[in-house]
Amino acid sequence: MAALAAASAFAQSTVTLSGRASMDVSTYEATGSTAGAASDLKSRVRVADTASRITFAANEDLGGGLTAGVYCETGINIDNASNAGQAGTVNANTSQFCSREGRAYFGNNTAEIRLGRQNVWWTQGALNEVGSTYLGSDSFTNLINGGVGVYTVRGENMIKLTAGGDTGAFAGSEIYQGYMGVSGDYAALPAGATGEAVGADKDASGKYSGAKLNYAMGQFVFMLDQQSSKSPFAASGSSFDRSATKVGVAYKYNATSLVSLQTWNKKRTDGTGAAYSSTTGDAKDSGYGIVVKHDLGGNWMAHAQYGKANNIKGTSAGEIADSGATAYTLGLTKAFSKRTHVYTAYHNITNASAGVYNMVGGNYASGTSAAGADVKVLALGMIHNF
């Protein structure tokens, strides 16, 4: 009986099903393009899915503080029951099971090792929860991830080590190494161009790596995010070596309100020697943004953010004139419970004449905007977590 009791201590496991329904009724337009009205996306009303998902998770208690399990977060599109976004283009984050995140893990409350497809660069934690938690989307994150881009914001073939709750102020910090597969820069290149699926006598050494340092103490939050990637350079199409750094700090002026500042710098090097364009050539981009979350009381929360993307610098062509943008988001949420809230939001991206920033995160845009077009979205939505 004692032996059976001891064995049962190592057989405790849990299986959970959870997720999010996130929908809005919104207007979208991208007008004032440099090429003229014929290139504008005129205002339209749509019902948009803003990153709904279903999550399956299993966790086993191994005893001695150790746990192991699996986490599978799958994007769904409640509006059109397909893997297409608002523009009818494929959204890779709603394509298959575990399309948002899929990982097996093992560890304890000090550190956990995770294998699989996982979120990396784009996550901003407490510094910016506007799009991820409250309003379904936000303009500032689209500036951070636009410009010359990064290798990936959600990558597969990844080994990640994450700091747990026992690390105190550093909880949530992480380091990771990934191997180039079917996402990132290389999705549009011929099959087998690089990474795990390369053909005979081809270079399979493409990889990416990064780290996130979190530090939260009292009223202050600090985050340093870095990612780099090394490409073997495909014979056809452009492929890049990349580096990206993001730094942010926040001050919580009460338990549920804060103001934060983030800056970023990104760089790509094109090994093919191609001249600069939006998708080829050496280039750099940078910018900054401010986010405010203010608790109004009575379960009302106000949100505001402002971002500025500087002109892109093509390292062989000099600064690309009028290639930057400014953006802001204003929003108001009303919580009816810990799981359900409604919101109204206005997103605006003002592009310079050669700027091409858009609300592309989660395929939220209704089309590919032309250079110089100003993007405007007015939304009324609801989010229910279960």
Side-chain angles (χ1 to χ4, degrees):
M1 290 178 66
L4 288 172
S8 68
F10 296 92
Q12 299 175 26
S13 62
T14 59
V15 177
T16 60
L17 183 67
S18 59
R20 174 183 297 176
S22 182
M23 300 289 295
D24 74 25
V25 179
S26 50
T27 61
Y28 171 93
E29 65 179 78
T31 58
S33 57
T34 303
S39 298
D40 287 348
L41 298 175
K42 296 181 179 180
S43 180
R44 74 283 316 271
V45 178
R46 78 259 177 95
V47 175
D49 189 294
T50 56
S52 297
R53 77 285 304 263
I54 290 178
T55 301
F56 167 86
N59 178 278
E60 182 182 10
D61 183 353
L62 301 174
L66 290 173
T67 61
V70 62
Y71 181 90
C72 177
E73 183 181 81
T74 302
I76 58 175
N77 194 320
I78 295 174
D79 178 45
N80 61 24
S82 78
N83 63 357
Q86 296 310 122
T89 54
V90 172
N91 181 356
N93 297 312
T94 60
S95 296
Q96 304 288 340
F97 277 112
C98 309
S99 54
R100 291 182 61 86
E101 277 204 275
R103 62 178 184 264
Y105 61 87
F106 173 84
N108 56 27
N109 207 35
T110 299
E112 188 172 272
I113 187 166
R114 303 173 176 178
L115 305 179
R117 176 174 166 85
Q118 300 170 72
N119 294 327
V120 282
W121 165 266
W122 74 270
T123 56
Q124 301 167 60
L127 300 180
N128 180 17
E129 299 176 301
V130 173
S132 61
T133 302
Y134 290 103
L135 305 182
S137 188
D138 75 272
S139 58
F140 176 50
T141 300
N142 283 279
L143 295 191
I144 293 176
N145 294 338
V148 305
V150 293
Y151 171 71
T152 188
V153 299
R154 180 179 284 135
E156 76 277 0
N157 296 342
M158 187 189 302
I159 306 166
K160 181 191 283 189
L161 182 65
T162 302
D166 285 351
T167 60
F170 295 98
S173 297
E174 60 190 33
I175 57 174
Y176 58 91
Q177 171 76 62
Y179 300 91
M180 291 177 179
V182 297
S183 69
D185 287 338
Y186 307 97
L189 295 179
T194 188
E196 64 178 348
V198 297
D201 198 32
K202 291 185 179 181
D203 191 336
S205 62
K207 57 184 179 294
Y208 63 98
S209 59
K212 185 189 299 290
L213 174 64
N214 283 332
Y215 182 82
M217 182 61 70
Q219 294 174 276
F220 292 94
V221 178
F222 173 81
M223 182 182 292
L224 171 63
D225 220 326
Q226 190 276 336
Q227 185 186 106
S228 60
S229 61
K230 180 70 175 177
S231 166
F233 294 121
S236 60
S238 290
S239 52
F240 306 112
D241 285 349
R242 292 186 178 275
S243 62
T245 303
K246 182 171 76 225
V247 181
V249 63
Y251 174 70
K252 295 182 177 180
Y253 55 89
N254 63 44
T256 52
S257 303
L258 63 73
V259 58
S260 71
L261 170 67
Q262 291 189 77
T263 65
W264 78 87
N265 288 274
K266 308 199 299 289
K267 178 182 178 180
R268 73 186 189 202
T269 302
D270 189 338
T272 67
Y276 173 80
S277 72
S278 61
T279 58
T280 62
D282 299 352
K284 301 177 182 179
D285 79 75
S286 62
Y288 66 90
I290 300 170
V291 176
V292 177
K293 179 181 71 172
H294 181 70
D295 192 338
L296 298 169
N299 295 322
W300 290 92
M301 190 82 73
H303 309 272
Q305 59 180 199
Y306 170 83
K308 177 175 173 56
N310 299 320
N311 284 342
I312 293 171
K313 295 181 179 180
T315 53
S316 60
E319 182 171 301
I320 310 304
D322 301 317
S323 55
T326 59
Y328 67 88
T329 289
L330 299 173
L332 185 67
T333 60
K334 168 63 175 179
F336 292 100
S337 71
K338 291 183 178 180
R339 296 178 177 271
T340 302
H341 71 264
V342 297
Y343 66 85
T344 183
Y346 179 70
H347 310 290
N348 181 290
I349 298 178
T350 302
N351 282 294
S353 60
V356 291
Y357 292 88
N358 197 351
M359 299 288 292
V360 295
N363 280 34
Y364 188 55
S366 285
T368 301
S369 57
D374 298 332
V375 180
K376 300 174 183 178
V377 180
L378 179 62
L380 178 65
M382 64 166 292
I383 294 177
H384 172 71
N385 298 289
F386 61 91

